[in-house]
Amino acid sequence: MSEGRTTCWLCERPVGTRVQYHHPIPKSKKGRFTVPVHPICHQAIHANFTNAELARIGENRETLIANEAVAKFLRWIADKPPDFHAPTRK
């Protein structure tokens, strides 16, 4: 992205002032690598997948975004500003 901005691993929008780091393979499953995500995107990941599922999926973002609930979330969040936040539903 231009201006040297970091983008969210899940939604690919620029990150704002609030950024979290998600372990695609959970720490509890020996994951070490992290990726930057918006807090709301981080919540959406964990609302839709268990740690066991995330460990199987690993760093495969395409598998996450193929999930119907995540795809719906991504369509909804697409035009929101970087620091937008709202409660996440399970």
Side-chain angles (χ1 to χ4, degrees):
M1 180 131 277
S2 62
E3 303 170 23
R5 300 283 310 261
T6 299
T7 58
C8 175
W9 181 74
L10 184 66
C11 73
E12 298 184 325
R13 295 177 304 131
V15 295
T17 57
R18 297 184 335 171
V19 62
Q20 294 181 350
Y21 290 89
H22 169 68
H23 288 84
I25 299 172
K27 269 177 79 170
S28 64
K29 305 289 184 184
K30 308 283 189 234
R32 305 255 184 269
F33 177 71
T34 61
V35 292
V37 291
H38 297 103
I40 194 169
C41 293
H42 201 188
Q43 289 177 351
I45 292 168
H46 288 286
N48 289 287
F49 299 96
T50 65
N51 277 353
E53 290 170 325
L54 290 172
R56 282 192 300 275
I57 294 167
E59 296 174 27
N60 189 342
R61 178 185 170 274
E62 298 305 316
T63 300
L64 293 183
I65 66 174
N67 174 281
E68 185 178 325
V70 174
K72 182 178 176 182
F73 167 79
L74 291 175
R75 287 189 300 275
W76 174 75
I77 199 78
D79 62 351
K80 306 292 189 279
D83 283 323
F84 175 80
H85 193 75
T88 302
R89 296 183 192 167
K90 281 201 172 213

